[in-house]
Amino acid sequence: MIPDQRREHILKLLQERHVLSINELTSMLSVSHMTVRRDIQALENDGKVLSVTGGVRLAARLKSEPSYLAKAQLEVPAKRAITRAAGQLVRDNFTIFLDAGTTSLQMVPMLTEKVGLTVVTNDFNVVGHLMEYPNIELIHTGGVVSHADHSSVGQFTADFLSKVNVDIAFVASSSWDVERGSTTPSEAKVVAKQQLLRMASKSVLTVDSTKYGKFGTFRVARLEEFDLIVTDDRLPQSAADEIRAQEVRLELVSPE
């Protein structure tokens, strides 16, 4: 079996089993561990699979996102560690953007003592929490309301962002990988996020590792379009190596 045929066979096996170990693949294909690892690397480079400890799984298409309330319960220690690291970039008198999402909400406690800070956001929960701090100038973008995400999206939001100069944009993502970048299943989110990346002096992708290897229909940006990616240290080493090979700054943090 030539390499292309063998790799197609691996994909078919994964469609049936979802996750396979290296040992299982060597047995099924009657090839060496080294051959299997080369095949997995080639498929991973094409964005078709994701390496896991001791094996491999299919890259997962994200067709919809969980509700805001559901997401708020997920990966809380990782989100806190990510925002604690990202929050160190914020200085007094900055204008920052907090993208809608439960990771951004975890950054709020780190902002409340800042002097002269302006926070722009499309997240209604961020607005609700910061409303109690008159020392922070607070701006909501407006736009079409996404009830599931507790946020504003669409062209109106993008038009507003075209008028704002932002020192740092903290951008959320429901799915990301090296091949496809930051993606989303929601077309309405794309236009505002892309406008934000054009207007921000610096953009930081704040996203936990459980979303790595998933992808949505619509691309927001390639990973190299971000100045920095902050994620947790459970990101597979192979993924971290690939990201850094693209000269993307990557900071890995340890969850509590």
Side-chain angles (χ1 to χ4, degrees):
M1 199 181 296
I2 65 173
D4 282 350
Q5 290 174 321
R6 195 171 55 246
R7 289 162 192 168
E8 284 299 319
H9 190 47
I10 291 172
L11 291 175
K12 288 178 181 178
L13 290 170
L14 285 171
Q15 287 167 358
E16 296 170 3
R17 301 275 294 275
H18 304 299
V19 179
L20 287 166
S21 71
I22 301 292
N23 288 336
E24 287 173 320
L25 284 170
T26 58
S27 176
M28 290 173 174
L29 299 170
S30 299
V31 295
S32 69
H33 279 70
M34 185 175 294
T35 297
V36 168
R37 291 183 187 281
R38 280 199 300 263
D39 288 341
I40 289 172
Q41 186 62 59
L43 290 169
E44 191 165 23
N45 290 343
D46 289 338
K48 295 177 180 178
V49 303
L50 179 68
S51 294
V52 295
T53 303
V56 63
R57 68 171 173 83
L58 282 175
R61 180 180 289 276
L62 188 67
K63 295 184 178 179
S64 63
E65 296 182 33
S67 70
Y68 194 101
L69 294 178
K71 288 188 287 188
Q73 308 302 315
L74 300 174
E75 302 298 325
V76 173
K79 291 173 182 176
R80 286 176 178 160
I82 289 165
T83 55
R84 197 162 48 241
Q88 298 299 313
L89 301 171
V90 181
R91 301 286 183 264
D92 290 343
N93 302 307
F94 268 24
T95 296
I96 68 169
F97 181 88
L98 293 184
D99 197 8
T102 55
T103 301
S104 295
L105 189 61
Q106 293 292 336
M107 193 181 291
V108 166
M110 284 168 275
L111 305 177
T112 56
E113 300 300 319
K114 298 294 182 185
V115 175
L117 183 67
T118 298
V119 176
V120 184
T121 185
N122 59 335
D123 189 307
F124 290 103
N125 291 292
V126 169
V127 169
H129 280 74
L130 287 177
M131 194 75 72
E132 305 303 317
Y133 297 91
N135 56 306
I136 295 177
E137 185 171 358
L138 185 58
I139 302 172
H140 192 278
T141 61
V144 176
V145 173
S146 169
H147 294 272
D149 292 325
H150 297 192
S151 68
S152 291
V153 296
Q155 189 60 52
F156 187 99
T157 303
D159 289 345
F160 176 86
L161 289 172
S162 70
K163 303 176 178 68
V164 179
N165 293 313
V166 173
D167 294 301
I168 306 179
F170 295 99
V171 184
S173 185
S174 58
S175 49
W176 65 298
D177 65 16
V178 171
E179 180 71 18
R180 301 175 183 87
S182 171
T183 60
T184 175
S186 172
E187 183 180 12
K189 292 184 178 182
V190 174
V191 63
K193 288 178 184 283
Q194 290 181 341
Q195 181 63 57
L196 174 63
L197 291 173
R198 285 191 288 270
M199 299 305 295
S201 298
K202 184 173 188 175
S203 58
V204 180
L205 182 64
T206 52
V207 59
D208 70 74
S209 66
T210 64
K211 297 169 183 174
Y212 187 84
K214 299 178 182 178
F215 63 95
T217 302
F218 304 100
R219 174 186 278 178
V220 173
R222 299 184 307 277
L223 295 188
E224 55 264 36
E225 293 180 61
F226 295 97
D227 296 289
L228 173 66
I229 298 172
V230 184
T231 190
D232 60 272
D233 59 8
R234 295 170 300 169
L235 185 72
Q237 185 61 51
S238 59
D241 291 342
E242 285 188 79
I243 292 167
R244 287 173 171 144
Q246 294 186 356
E247 298 186 351
V248 176
R249 284 186 62 208
L250 176 67
E251 183 173 351
L252 302 179
V253 297
S254 298
E256 298 169 357

